[in-house]
Amino acid sequence: MSEPLLDVEDLRTTFHTPRGDVHAVDGVSLRLEAGRTLGVVGESGSGKSVLGRTVMGLVSSGPGVTVSGRVSLAGQDVHALAPAERRRLWGPRVAMVFQDPMTSLNPVKRVGRHIDEVLRLHLRLGRREARERTVGLLRQVGIPEPERRAGQYPHELSGGMRQRVVIAAALACGPDLLIADEPTTALDVTVQRQILDLVASLSRRSGMAVVLISHDLAAVGGRADRVAVMYGGRLVESAPTSRVFGAPRHPYTGALLASAPRLSAAPHSRLPTIEGRPPDPADPPPGCRFAPRCPRAEAVCRGGAPPLLDLAPVGGHPHEVACRLPLEAESTEVGHGR
Amino acid sequence: MAGSGNAHMRAGADRVLSVHDLVVEFPVGRGQRVHAVSGLHLDLVRGETLGILGESGCGKSSAGRAVMQLPPPTSGSVVLEGTELTGSGGRALRRARARMQLIMQDPVSSLNPRRRVADLVAEGLDIRGEREDRRARVDAALRSVGLDPDTVRDRRPHELSGGQCQRVCIARALVLDPALLICDEPVSSLDVSVQAQILNLLEEAKERHGLSMVFVAHDVAVVKNVSDRVMVLYLGKTCEVLPSEGLHVRAAHPYTRLLLDSVPGQENGDAPGERAAELPSPVDPPSGCRFRTRCPWAQERCAREEPQLREVGPGHHVACHLVE
């Protein structure tokens, strides 16, 4: 196995609130090699966005927040760097794309300036050189008439075009790692497909690693090499994409897959649901966090946090599951998607 | 539509709702208008669910709201249980409103944060002056959406989860014993596991109360799951009306196919995709078939002539020149 580009070890992000400590990310370890795409899937409150931001270094220890564990990006410990040094990572090493392209662009700044700025600041390009590169980047992300578009304001572009601009800005310095936090949730399905295809093709072309964070298992499915499923701030399952969809081993992953309506199912079929509510992050249940909602749970599940163990056969890709009573390897689930 | 016509309308039958030539336009200044809905026809039989499918800007929400008279449509007719709603106002409209209820996308912002659950649910009853059995009716409505009245009665919306708020919204609608429920993206702001709970709940409520439903959403799989018939809209025009059974196989309109091919996990590498990414402006929609600017098969005829809805199979109508 090659040296991973991203190596996250026992990462914990804790917010200190008046209601008590909220363990948003609670002991997550993962690695990602260059050129690979990792999908991080979870429902709201699972800690997936905080994980992305902590990996990026946007969330770091300070008033009200404690980050422990280690995030190593191309050999550098992100959280051991001084803020000014960490800022130098953003752009050339790691970049992030957020959910809502309207709020991540400045409404009173022309589209081109968002990208010029990145190039001039990080790569010390001159005004004219930066603009040339900007137009090239806009063309690369599939924006028609890039010269004209660069002179427009964000509100003159559609949601899909705006998200392309955000991606162009993120790619401006050729980052090794792109963290995309729900990049298509605010967009229409046909546009969602275009944007995910775009990220996939850019990653293929430049060897950029991608962390794709989403609440939608199916959206991530077609694009990721591996999928990590989060629940209550912890990883519950991490496996090659086809294994997660074809033979999930954690009961939560299985239930999540089953609860999405399928196109192939007959109309009016009842959907299997997950009873109860996600755990309160300020007061999580002891032991396995999914135990109170899990139909398979037994006394042993409430005892202590189940470790993330590799259940894959020897020599296979790791299939890690944090469950004491995992689902059988031969599951009835076939294929992925709906 | 992306053509027009009313070939899909059914004669006779016990119709709860029939909508004819519905037009919704919004002035945007300089004499220009946004054509949100252009000549929509639809009908709904008792106990039936019609799914309206489309992307943002296709007019699906405007259509649902125009049926509710929120605001009244620019022109066209909306007949609910034999009563013409367009043009009627005041008391007649208020009476009719109890028979149709709207469930909106964001359950948290559609509830007044200062009021308690019991009062939120009873609001319709209070407006109509129905004081009898107020408490019993509210409790029954809460129970029917799977909430324990004793636990939630005195809570305020911020003390509930998104899924619970959506349950309160549904209870609010059911307490008035409506004939028609219009759901505008009722599950798109909810997590997948909660979405399944709410979809099941809507199905149960529909059966128990003998409701008819108009279900507006952008998610093909969700719409297929709850609907008997599905209508696909694009830029305010109807593309296709078809039974939801077998929808993913039978759909014939190029736009419906594009939507189906875009469903994650259903990507079809051989699909021709689409021509341009941009949605044309609803202020100045394309001539002829409105989908032609994105359609991979568009021909010269599509720009000249607007396709009419034609029957291509039992209960299956398509507005496209190129579909046989």
Side-chain angles (χ1 to χ4, degrees), chain A residues 44 188 190 194 263 265 268, chain B residues 55-56 191 193 224-225 228 274:
Chain A
S44 32
D188 276 321
T190 54
Q194 296 164 5
L263 260 181
H268 306 296
Chain B
E55 295 181 281
S56 43
D191 272 323
S193 66
K224 191 200 164 194
N225 188 268
D228 299 299
E274 56 180 320

Side-chain angles (χ1 to χ4, degrees), chain B residues 29-317:
Chain B
R30 280 184 249 145
Q32 291 187 311
R33 308 171 78 75
V34 166
H35 302 266
V37 181
S38 307
L40 182 73
H41 296 262
L42 62 88
D43 58 2
L44 200 59
V45 178
R46 200 168 294 280
E48 184 185 40
T49 301
L50 173 71
I52 299 186
L53 183 66
E55 295 181 281
S56 43
C58 77
K60 56 190 194 301
S61 295
S62 299
R65 280 153 188 264
V67 169
M68 293 288 300
Q69 309 291 312
L70 284 172
T74 311
S75 70
S77 123
V78 176
V79 179
L80 178 75
E81 298 187 303
T83 315
E84 173 65 57
L85 298 185
T86 39
S88 73
R91 194 168 293 171
L93 185 56
R94 224 170 11 248
R95 215 173 5 248
R97 281 238 170 91
R99 302 292 296 156
M100 52 180 188
Q101 289 291 312
L102 182 64
I103 310 274
M104 285 184 274
Q105 174 171 353
D106 183 351
V108 182
S109 65
S110 54
L111 296 173
N112 184 336
R114 293 160 181 262
R115 305 195 68 188
R116 295 176 195 279
V117 167
D119 297 325
L120 287 165
V121 173
E123 192 169 10
L125 296 175
D126 294 344
I127 289 169
R128 295 173 57 75
E130 296 178 18
R131 289 196 191 82
E132 245 171 85
D133 305 328
R134 183 180 186 266
R135 172 145 181 169
R137 290 176 73 177
V138 167
D139 284 2
L142 285 173
R143 236 173 263 122
S144 76
V145 296
L147 293 174
D148 175 22
D150 295 326
T151 326
V152 299
R153 196 184 289 120
D154 293 323
R155 300 235 180 138
R156 293 198 166 84
H158 75 268
E159 297 173 274
L160 306 175
S161 68
Q164 287 175 316
C165 283
Q166 195 60 294
R167 286 172 194 267
V168 171
C169 290
I170 296 171
R172 235 157 102 79
L174 294 180
V175 77
L176 290 168
D177 197 21
L180 171 67
L181 207 56
I182 297 180
C183 305
D184 188 0
E185 299 271 14
V187 296
S188 54
S189 66
L190 304 174
D191 272 323
V192 187
S193 66
V194 184
Q195 169 180 308
Q197 295 169 9
I198 297 295
L199 289 175
N200 287 347
L201 172 63
L202 284 171
E203 290 275 21
E204 280 158 29
K206 188 188 121 181
E207 278 162 29
R208 191 160 348 112
H209 297 259
L211 292 171
S212 309
M213 266 204 301
V214 174
F215 192 96
V216 175
H218 71 280
D219 186 319
V220 192
V222 166
V223 168
K224 191 200 164 194
N225 188 268
V226 298
S227 307
D228 299 299
R229 290 201 303 159
V230 175
M231 176 179 253
V232 183
L233 294 190
Y234 182 79
L235 273 185
K237 294 268 189 181
T238 314
C239 294
E240 186 162 14
V241 183
L242 74 168
S244 71
E245 177 81 61
L247 168 137
H248 58 300
V249 194
R250 289 203 197 108
H253 195 283
Y255 179 59
T256 320
R257 298 294 343 164
L258 173 65
L259 284 179
L260 284 165
D261 289 334
S262 304
V263 172
Q266 297 285 327
E267 286 92 349
N268 176 357
D270 304 330
E274 56 180 320
R275 279 176 24 191
E278 284 297 79
L279 190 73
S281 162
V283 173
D284 182 22
S287 64
C289 172
R290 290 190 179 176
F291 182 58
R292 69 179 164 83
T293 56
R294 288 172 70 188
C295 180
W297 293 285
Q299 300 173 353
E300 179 266 333
R301 181 186 176 195
C302 303
R304 204 165 17 100
E305 223 180 293
E306 185 176 4
Q308 300 288 311
L309 278 168
R310 287 178 296 122
E311 182 156 23
V312 296
H316 185 179
H317 294 80

Side-chain angles (χ1 to χ4, degrees), chain A residues 110-221:
Chain A
R110 292 177 200 272
V111 164
R113 261 196 67 197
H114 286 90
I115 306 171
D116 292 345
E117 197 171 59
V118 178
L119 295 165
R120 297 186 63 189
L121 187 74
H122 285 285
L123 305 185
R124 307 266 168 227
L125 296 186
R127 196 181 294 268
R128 185 161 307 158
E129 225 180 328
R131 179 46 60 104
E132 269 169 34
R133 187 84 72 89
T134 294
V135 169
L137 281 161
L138 289 176
R139 186 172 294 122
Q140 194 190 346
V141 296
I143 291 183
E145 303 177 76
E147 291 88 356
R148 188 172 69 85
R149 290 298 192 177
Q152 290 188 317
Y153 288 98
H155 78 267
E156 297 177 82
L157 273 60
S158 68
M161 285 296 151
R162 276 183 226 141
Q163 195 62 298
R164 285 171 194 263
V165 171
V166 173
I167 292 174
L171 298 177
C173 305
D176 302 324
L177 174 67
L178 180 72
I179 300 177
D181 186 3
E182 303 265 12
T184 60
T185 307
L187 305 175
D188 276 321
V189 274
T190 54
V191 184
Q192 167 174 320
R193 175 184 165 184
Q194 296 164 5
I195 296 291
L196 292 174
D197 284 347
L198 172 68
V199 171
S201 79
L202 293 169
S203 148
R204 258 198 314 276
R205 226 181 301 158
S206 63
M208 172 180 74
V210 180
V211 175
L212 197 57
I213 300 172
S214 178
H215 70 284
D216 187 347
L217 257 171
V220 162

Side-chain angles (χ1 to χ4, degrees), chain A:
Chain A
M1 195 186 275
S2 57
E3 182 65 21
L5 172 72
L6 175 70
D7 192 353
V8 176
E9 248 183 63
D10 196 30
L11 190 66
R12 287 166 203 273
T13 308
T14 308
F15 296 101
H16 308 293
T17 73
R19 284 184 56 223
D21 286 357
V22 172
H23 305 278
V25 176
D26 199 10
V28 168
S29 301
L30 46 87
R31 4 175 82 208
L32 180 62
E33 277 121 64
R36 293 300 185 133
T37 298
L38 172 73
V40 175
V41 174
E43 296 185 278
S44 32
S46 64
K48 58 187 189 302
S49 291
V50 176
L51 173 67
R53 281 159 205 244
T54 312
V55 167
M56 176 94 180
L58 286 175
V59 172
S60 57
S61 286
V65 191
T66 307
V67 173
S68 72
R70 207 169 62 90
V71 176
S72 151
L73 182 69
Q76 276 186 297
D77 186 342
V78 173
H79 289 272
L81 296 174
E85 290 174 339
R86 197 181 303 146
R87 270 202 300 279
R88 274 197 284 278
L89 286 183
W90 297 340
R93 285 268 173 238
V94 54
M96 194 153 182
V97 173
F98 298 94
Q99 174 172 348
D100 183 353
M102 194 65 233
T103 50
S104 37
L105 294 173
N106 185 338
V108 297
K109 224 153 70 172
R110 292 177 200 272
V111 164
R113 261 196 67 197
H114 286 90
I115 306 171
D116 292 345
E117 197 171 59
V118 178
L119 295 165
R120 297 186 63 189
L121 187 74
H122 285 285
L123 305 185
R124 307 266 168 227
L125 296 186
R127 196 181 294 268
R128 185 161 307 158
E129 225 180 328
R131 179 46 60 104
E132 269 169 34
R133 187 84 72 89
T134 294
V135 169
L137 281 161
L138 289 176
R139 186 172 294 122
Q140 194 190 346
V141 296
I143 291 183
E145 303 177 76
E147 291 88 356
R148 188 172 69 85
R149 290 298 192 177
Q152 290 188 317
Y153 288 98
H155 78 267
E156 297 177 82
L157 273 60
S158 68
M161 285 296 151
R162 276 183 226 141
Q163 195 62 298
R164 285 171 194 263
V165 171
V166 173
I167 292 174
L171 298 177
C173 305
D176 302 324
L177 174 67
L178 180 72
I179 300 177
D181 186 3
E182 303 265 12
T184 60
T185 307
L187 305 175
D188 276 321
V189 274
T190 54
V191 184
Q192 167 174 320
R193 175 184 165 184
Q194 296 164 5
I195 296 291
L196 292 174
D197 284 347
L198 172 68
V199 171
S201 79
L202 293 169
S203 148
R204 258 198 314 276
R205 226 181 301 158
S206 63
M208 172 180 74
V210 180
V211 175
L212 197 57
I213 300 172
S214 178
H215 70 284
D216 187 347
L217 257 171
V220 162
R223 307 305 196 295
D225 300 302
R226 281 182 76 84
V227 172
V229 182
M230 283 189 82
Y231 186 82
R234 293 182 183 152
L235 284 189
V236 295
E237 184 158 9
S238 163
T241 308
S242 60
R243 302 290 299 164
V244 169
F245 285 98
R249 302 296 302 274
H250 197 285
Y252 174 66
T253 315
L256 199 59
L257 280 170
S259 63
R262 278 161 196 275
L263 260 181
S264 50
H268 306 296
S269 40
R270 287 290 187 276
L271 301 165
T273 58
I274 307 175
E275 292 311 315
R277 294 170 62 175
D280 179 353
D283 181 25
C288 171
R289 300 214 163 140
F290 187 57
R293 301 172 76 187
C294 182
R296 299 165 70 89
E298 289 176 15
V300 60
C301 300
R302 296 176 190 97
L308 196 64
L309 297 176
D310 186 3
L311 302 184
V314 181
H317 289 286
H319 187 151
E320 297 170 320
V321 182
C323 180
R324 295 214 164 79
L325 303 165
L327 301 172
E328 296 306 311
E330 279 80 33
S331 167
T332 48
E333 298 283 343
V334 179
H336 76 264
R338 300 174 176 186

